[in-house]
Amino acid sequence: MPDYSEFLERIFEILKPLAKKGLLLNEDTELVTELGLTSLQVMELIEQIEDHFDISIPLNILPDIRTVHDLAAQLEKLDR
Amino acid sequence: MSLFDKFQPIIDIRAELEQLGVMPFGAVTEKFLSPTEGIVNGHKVILAGTNNYLGLTFDPECIAAAQKAVAEQGTGTTGSRMANGTFIEHVKLEQELCAFFNKKHSIVFSTGYAATMGMGSTLAGPGDVIVLDADSHASIYDGVRLGGAEIVRFKHNDAADLEKRLRRLGERTANTLIIVEGIYSMLGDQAPLADIAEVKNKYGGLLLVDEAHSLGMLGEHGRGVAEAAGVEDDVDFIVGTFSKSLSAIGGYCVSNHAELEAIRFAIRSYIFTASPSPSVIASTRVALRLMQERPELRERLWSNAQRLYDGLKELGFQVSPQVSPVVAVTIKERDQAIAWWNQLMHHGAYVNLVMPPASPTTDSLLRCSVSAAHTTEQIDRIIEAFATLNPSSAKEASN
């Protein structure tokens, strides 16, 4: 199972093209309020992570995620 | 910060539409001229977005049965199925559904939403897993969120992706519920149910199929995609609605699992709501019979669907991936979709405007639903209305 930093790296890679000019991505970047991701884009982000790491990410973790850090931390906690 | 802040995007789009003088959401049908024609928002239009697939809303036998039921049993049941709201007609309809689907058990719900939401929220709970098609209807998502099971999505209509998800679950597939639809409501595409059933049989779990948009349309007897794919025995639960092909309102679940009779007493959307009114049950029972007696309705529906699909495709529109009674035109730009919806109204065709997040992608849809009651001439008039939209720019906009 990948660790926190591997998840983080991948998340940054996926989000990079979506970040507005001048916005520097970091662990505290908020996915919806700051990056402006729509619900569809959040699901695409999840799918890309699933495909890359060959894992399934339950939707149940989504309500606890606001920042890039929250997402990486939740992914690290997954038990498969 | 107030409770109302989160509604601002809706307030904004409503204001925008009002300024344009267009109100596609909650369009008001002022008068019916026939099952397929009416006055909507002041326009005389062909109704091409009403899900009235078999066109039975004004069938004289259905109307007579509903009128008789009102006269004999009153306007409402005034109570839950669990209390005073089970009338003999509810029980008869459940028996008739069992006979039609060749299943041992059935439950009648007050709406299709209550059926899907109720089954999804009750069958799988904390500690269980639900694996559902990513493009599932809102009623499915609402239900599974309420139930507290772990929720995993698989890629739309992708049995290989479903297999991956089940494989990752390992032994947990023993308490996994797989949920798919027969025909998907927005684009009209069908689930590859034979492949899905094969994966389920290989890995385990129970399979629930929502046939809301496929009842009466597919299979030799009109039982839906499960019948057409020859996998009825592999489907554990079929849910659906009376509000489309059966032209009333209400929902159902049928199954061969004896546990359904116990599950009935645990479904909150069944217990804590009033049961369907007598008139609704009466017209539904007749419609269910007529659907079986008149296979020609199904034939006419598909012939109309093919004609509309071919016509719109020929005009250059990006239509659904496969022919079905739902024919959706995809439009990249939301404002273009709004303008075209309005133009269609002015040219005598009412269709559904679907914008994200209700559409499955970031695109918007002009969604048509075909009826067996449409005449060939009406289908041609719908195509003519679309032809006024300058379809070549539609193609560019969709690419």
Side-chain angles (χ1 to χ4, degrees):
Chain A
M1 193 68 182
D3 64 14
Y4 178 84
S5 60
E6 285 171 87
F7 281 125
L8 202 59
E9 195 185 327
R10 188 67 203 161
I11 295 167
F12 282 142
E13 267 173 49
I14 299 169
L15 291 180
K16 219 184 229 166
L18 299 171
K20 286 177 212 109
K21 224 177 170 183
L23 179 71
L24 216 59
L25 288 172
N26 60 52
E27 287 172 68
D28 295 328
T29 305
E30 299 205 357
L31 299 173
V32 175
T33 50
E34 217 172 327
L35 263 179
L37 296 192
T38 63
S39 54
L40 215 60
Q41 285 173 316
V42 171
M43 292 323 300
E44 279 167 12
L45 167 66
I46 295 291
E47 272 182 24
Q48 287 191 46
I49 299 169
E50 286 179 322
D51 285 346
H52 184 81
F53 292 107
D54 192 27
I55 55 171
S56 293
I57 303 172
L59 296 188
N60 314 57
I61 67 164
L62 294 183
D64 295 325
I65 292 167
R66 280 178 52 205
T67 64
V68 170
H69 160 78
D70 295 340
L71 178 56
Q74 287 288 337
L75 294 177
E76 199 187 21
K77 276 199 269 175
L78 293 178
D79 61 354
R80 61 191 175 284
Chain B
M1 209 42 191
S2 91
L3 287 176
F4 299 137
D5 286 354
K6 55 184 167 294
F7 304 111
Q8 199 53 48
I10 300 175
I11 293 167
D12 291 345
I13 193 160
R14 273 180 58 87
E16 206 181 308
L17 290 169
E18 245 166 65
Q19 206 166 16
L20 291 168
V22 182
M23 195 34 80
F25 306 116
V28 179
T29 303
E30 293 148 30
K31 193 179 176 180
F32 279 95
L33 306 169
S34 78
T36 52
E37 266 188 287
I39 312 286
V40 180
N41 282 5
H43 301 277
K44 186 178 176 217
V45 287
I46 298 169
L47 302 169
T50 58
N51 305 314
N52 188 8
Y53 297 122
L54 299 182
L56 293 173
T57 42
F58 286 87
D59 182 88
E61 269 194 77
C62 291
I63 290 174
Q67 285 171 335
K68 188 167 178 279
V70 168
E72 291 176 359
Q73 299 165 56
T75 51
T77 67
T78 67
S80 159
R81 289 291 304 275
M82 294 281 278
N84 60 296
T86 293
F87 292 9
I88 187 67
E89 302 266 340
H90 296 100
V91 177
K92 284 183 182 166
L93 177 54
E94 286 178 346
Q95 289 165 350
E96 287 156 5
L97 286 166
C98 282
F100 173 66
F101 282 102
N102 270 334
K103 299 283 182 193
K104 292 184 183 124
H105 309 277
S106 80
I107 302 178
V108 163
F109 292 83
S110 299
T111 64
Y113 179 90
T116 331
M117 198 271 276
M119 292 306 293
S121 62
T122 311
L123 276 171
D128 301 326
V129 185
I130 286 176
V131 183
L132 79 174
D133 186 287
D135 284 4
S136 292
H137 189 257
S139 59
I140 296 173
Y141 274 105
D142 289 355
V144 299
R145 283 201 179 106
L146 207 56
E150 185 175 308
I151 307 157
V152 172
R153 307 186 333 158
F154 70 93
K155 288 176 187 159
H156 176 54
N157 273 351
D158 188 338
D161 194 50
L162 169 65
E163 177 163 13
K164 247 196 285 183
R165 312 279 171 174
L166 294 178
R167 176 177 46 76
R168 287 174 193 150
L169 284 171
E171 287 177 1
R172 296 185 73 199
T173 53
N175 56 331
T176 293
L177 176 67
I178 303 159
I179 304 181
V180 300
E181 297 180 28
I183 288 182
Y184 284 82
S185 60
M186 288 296 112
L187 293 176
D189 47 339
Q190 284 176 37
L193 214 48
D195 297 340
I196 287 169
E198 195 183 323
V199 172
K200 174 225 148 175
N201 291 338
K202 186 173 168 192
Y203 288 89
L206 297 179
L207 175 60
L208 182 147
V209 181
D210 180 358
E211 299 261 23
H213 289 268
S214 32
L215 171 69
M217 280 164 238
L218 287 159
E220 197 189 335
H221 303 90
R223 293 199 287 262
V225 174
E227 185 188 17
V231 293
E232 286 176 286
D233 289 342
D234 299 316
V235 176
D236 297 276
F237 301 95
I238 291 176
V239 294
T241 178
F242 304 142
S243 66
K244 295 175 171 63
S245 47
L246 299 183
S247 301
I249 186 168
Y252 62 88
C253 175
V254 296
S255 175
N256 275 334
H257 289 284
E259 290 83 354
L260 190 66
E261 294 305 332
I263 293 167
R264 179 196 294 268
F265 295 98
I267 306 175
R268 297 173 69 83
S269 67
Y270 171 82
I271 302 167
F272 296 104
T273 191
S275 62
S277 299
S279 57
V280 166
I281 295 296
S283 76
T284 300
R285 289 183 62 202
V286 174
L288 181 62
R289 174 171 57 78
L290 295 179
M291 187 176 83
Q292 295 168 75
E293 287 173 0
R294 299 184 195 165
E296 66 273 16
L297 290 176
R298 196 153 68 241
E299 283 161 31
R300 207 174 320 141
L301 173 69
W302 280 98
S303 140
N304 283 342
Q306 185 77 54
R307 191 175 184 90
L308 182 62
Y309 185 90
D310 291 345
L312 297 186
K313 199 173 176 184
E314 205 169 302
L315 284 174
F317 288 104
Q318 184 188 331
V319 287
S320 309
Q322 63 189 124
V323 181
S324 104
V326 174
V327 183
V329 168
T330 297
I331 297 146
K332 220 132 213 90
E333 298 302 324
R334 195 197 68 175
D335 290 350
Q336 173 109 81
I338 295 168
W340 279 355
W341 180 86
N342 197 32
Q343 207 174 318
L344 286 175
M345 288 290 280
H346 282 89
H347 284 87
Y350 168 78
V351 303
N352 307 126
L353 173 65
V354 185
M355 302 186 328
S359 59
T361 66
T362 51
D363 299 332
S364 295
L365 303 172
L366 289 174
R367 174 190 180 273
C368 309
S369 50
V370 178
S371 174
H374 281 131
T375 61
T376 306
E377 189 249 334
Q378 284 178 323
I379 296 290
D380 290 346
R381 275 166 54 202
I382 299 165
I383 297 168
E384 280 162 25
F386 270 92
T388 67
L389 302 179
N390 187 9
S392 58
S393 66
K395 206 164 193 182
E396 282 158 28
S398 298
N399 287 334

